[in-house]
Amino acid sequence: MIITAKIRLFPNEEQKQELIQTLAAVKFGLNFATKIAYEN
């Protein structure tokens, strides 16, 4: 099952930088999990 939410954010500059950092961390984590899954 896939659930999708379409939202629009209006962050200030500080929040924008935090969102960018958060998304980079999520991307890193997903790439790490994918690598482990393919190796096993």
Side-chain angles (χ1 to χ4, degrees):
M1 176 187 294
I2 296 174
I3 299 174
T4 303
K6 185 175 181 179
I7 60 171
R8 190 165 180 189
L9 302 175
F10 299 98
N12 61 35
E13 280 303 314
E14 180 182 351
Q15 292 169 328
K16 182 178 178 181
Q17 292 306 314
E18 290 173 352
L19 284 169
I20 290 169
Q21 291 173 347
T22 299
L23 291 175
V26 169
K27 182 179 174 182
F28 178 83
L30 291 172
N31 286 338
F32 178 79
T34 300
K35 179 181 176 188
I36 296 299
Y38 282 118
E39 290 175 354
N40 294 304

